[in-house]
């Protein structure tokens, strides 16, 4: 757990809703920002994996509470007597700083200063560590992961790591990869144990089952799948073929994500996935992957433990 970046519930829900309903412009923008942020974290994760560390403890996507305040951490590198707090930004294009304010160069639009977010996270993390009795120094950085990002008028000696500096940063970490002790391992376990699954700041659209388009969504392009034969489906948008059982179960998980209060029944999934004409096929796939709770006409399925 937390050994690689994960999609937030917010992003998963928006990904599921996007092909099934019309999102507002604001909701689409929020969805695109979340997707871009996640892609940036994944890019950072894969680049860091190229520099194996023997002792460093690495955590991703922590949601913590400190001083009754919620804060998100993209990545933590826990080392002996030090923690690297890394905020990953996937900004693209030209930006500039003027009097501590950040602007988009193309239109002069002001954006939120990411340094303020970094300082806030550092303060709250330090407070939490002290509360737990840990005296650990924190070294914070903003990682600008996108190679198409340029920041004009950036002051020197700021905690910025640009894409062109990333390999040097990783080599520096690798060169000082000291053995961690039980103390660092216990701290890492405590951080994971205090992670919160759901944010109180989630911004989810209002939606009802009846308003959503039914069918099976392609995992590649978010187009709608068509039934090809008893084993395969086809996406008319991108041409990708997918195993019928895998596609149906992926859409069952989507159904459960969007409507956790609804039971997974044969009729519910038959209606949700739409394109399979045979209930016998749907029943077979559900039986293969889930546990049937027999209740005559009220039978339903649960996830296998």
């Amino acid at each position: 757990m937390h050994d690689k970046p994960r999609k937030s519930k917010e992003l998963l829900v928006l990904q599921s809703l996007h092909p099934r309903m019309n999102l507002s412009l604001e909701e689409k923008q929020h969805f695109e920002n979340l997707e871009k942020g996640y892609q940036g974290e994944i890019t950072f994760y894969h680049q860091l994996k190229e520099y194996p560390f023997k002792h460093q403890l690495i955590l991703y996507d922590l949601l913590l509470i400190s001083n009754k305040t919620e804060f998100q951490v993209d990545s933590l590198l826990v080392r002996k007597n030090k923690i690297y707090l890394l905020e990953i930004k996937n900004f693209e294009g030209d930006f500039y700083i003027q009097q501590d304010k950040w602007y988009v160069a193309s239109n002069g639009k002001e954006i939120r200063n990411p340094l303020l977010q970094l300082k806030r996270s550092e303060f709250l993390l330090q407070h939490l560590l002290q509360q737990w009795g840990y005296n650990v120094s924190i070294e914070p950085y903003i990682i600008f992961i996108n190679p198409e990002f340029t920041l004009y008028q950036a002051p020197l000696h700021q905690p910025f790591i640009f894409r062109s500096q990333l390999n040097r940063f990783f080599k520096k970490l690798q060169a000082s990869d000291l053995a961690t002790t039980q103390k660092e391992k216990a701290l890492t376990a405590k951080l994971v144990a205090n992670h919160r699954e759901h944010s109180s700041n989630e911004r989810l659209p209002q939606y009802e089952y009846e308003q959503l388009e039914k069918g099976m969504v392609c995992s590649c392009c978010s187009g709608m799948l068509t039934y090809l034969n008893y084993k395969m489906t086809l996406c008319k948008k991108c041409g990708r073929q997918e195993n019928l059982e895998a596609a149906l179960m992926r859409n069952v998980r989507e159904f459960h994500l969007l409507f956790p209060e609804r039971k997974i029944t044969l009729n519910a999934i038959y209606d949700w996935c739409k394109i399979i004409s045979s209930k016998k096929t749907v029943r077979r796939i559900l039986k293969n992957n889930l546990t049937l709770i027999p209740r005559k006409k009220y039978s339903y399925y649960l996830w296998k433990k």
Side-chain angles (χ1 to χ4, degrees):
M1 187 180 180
H2 299 285
D3 58 350
K4 68 180 296 185
R6 301 183 306 162
K7 293 180 181 180
S8 65
K9 179 189 173 184
E10 218 175 353
L11 177 54
L12 289 170
V13 168
L14 286 167
Q15 279 183 330
S16 297
L17 291 176
H18 182 241
R20 296 183 183 272
M21 67 178 283
N22 292 321
L23 299 176
S24 68
L25 288 176
E26 184 179 341
E27 288 163 351
K28 284 181 182 177
Q29 184 65 58
H30 183 49
F31 171 42
E32 289 169 5
N33 289 340
L34 289 175
E35 269 200 320
K36 196 164 187 176
Y38 173 72
Q39 289 304 320
E41 291 180 38
I42 285 292
T43 300
F44 174 78
Y45 166 78
H46 286 300
Q47 291 212 326
L48 185 60
K49 289 277 282 185
E50 295 178 11
Y51 292 84
F53 297 98
K54 291 181 180 179
H55 308 296
Q56 201 152 247
L57 303 168
I58 306 172
L59 297 174
Y60 297 93
D61 286 330
L62 289 171
L63 183 63
L64 301 167
I65 294 286
S66 175
N67 201 24
K68 298 182 180 179
T69 304
E70 184 179 278
F71 68 106
Q72 172 81 34
V73 173
D74 289 340
S75 183
L76 279 183
L77 279 62
V78 182
R79 315 188 82 177
K80 190 172 182 180
N81 300 321
K82 180 182 282 191
I83 288 179
Y84 287 90
L85 171 63
L86 306 179
E87 180 74 27
I88 315 301
K89 292 298 181 186
N90 194 15
F91 292 171
E92 185 175 356
D94 297 335
F95 295 75
Y96 66 92
I97 300 176
Q98 194 170 70
Q99 296 179 343
D100 294 329
K101 293 184 177 182
W102 289 54
Y103 299 91
V104 180
S106 60
N107 57 20
K109 180 181 177 182
E110 184 179 353
I111 65 166
R112 184 181 298 176
N113 185 342
L115 272 173
L116 299 180
Q117 181 182 348
L118 183 70
K119 289 176 181 178
R120 175 181 179 272
S121 297
E122 180 188 6
F123 171 79
L124 291 170
L125 180 60
Q126 191 73 74
H127 182 274
L128 188 62
L129 295 177
Q130 290 171 353
Q131 192 177 32
W132 291 345
Y134 286 93
N135 184 23
V136 184
S137 68
I138 298 175
E139 196 166 317
Y141 290 98
I142 300 175
I143 309 290
F144 295 103
I145 198 68
N146 198 312
E148 298 298 320
F149 169 74
T150 301
L151 181 61
Y152 296 101
Q153 299 170 196
L156 295 174
H157 312 301
Q158 292 294 325
F160 301 155
I161 305 292
F162 299 101
R163 183 65 176 262
S164 60
Q165 301 170 313
L166 202 51
N167 287 336
R168 278 176 283 159
F169 179 64
F170 289 154
K171 287 175 182 177
K172 173 188 169 184
L173 293 178
Q174 205 173 33
S176 57
D177 188 20
L178 301 175
T180 50
T181 66
Q182 196 59 42
K183 177 183 174 182
E184 284 78 42
K185 293 174 184 176
L187 172 56
T188 301
K190 194 170 182 68
L191 286 164
V192 170
N194 280 270
H195 165 75
R196 295 167 65 92
E197 282 298 326
H198 303 298
S199 170
S200 60
N201 299 316
E202 285 176 350
R203 293 161 49 193
L204 297 177
Q206 295 293 319
Y207 60 92
E208 301 291 339
Y209 180 84
E210 290 72 21
Q211 79 184 95
L212 301 185
E213 182 178 349
K214 309 306 184 289
M216 293 166 64
V217 178
C218 175
S219 63
C220 186
C221 71
S222 296
M224 302 304 286
L225 299 176
T226 59
Y227 182 81
L228 195 59
N229 56 49
Y230 72 100
K231 283 188 176 182
M232 301 299 294
T233 62
L234 171 69
C235 178
K236 286 187 175 179
K237 185 177 178 181
C238 70
R240 181 176 184 269
Q241 293 188 19
E242 184 177 3
N243 175 272
L244 176 65
E245 184 164 333
L248 185 136
M249 288 311 301
R250 184 169 45 75
N251 281 270
V252 170
R253 286 189 288 273
E254 182 187 80
F255 173 83
H256 183 65
L257 170 71
L258 295 177
F259 304 101
E261 73 287 350
R262 294 194 175 210
K263 282 187 167 62
I264 300 172
T265 67
L266 172 62
N267 287 335
I269 300 307
Y270 179 77
D271 182 64
W272 177 250
C273 292
K274 186 179 176 180
I275 67 171
I276 304 174
S277 59
S278 168
K279 283 191 177 181
K280 184 178 179 180
T281 299
V282 176
R283 182 186 289 112
R284 172 181 57 80
I285 294 174
L286 291 176
K287 189 177 178 181
N288 284 348
N289 293 275
L290 303 175
T291 299
L292 174 65
I293 307 300
R295 295 288 187 271
K296 296 185 178 178
K297 66 177 181 178
Y298 299 108
S299 297
Y300 61 96
Y301 296 85
L302 293 176
W303 300 103
K304 290 182 178 179
K305 294 182 179 179

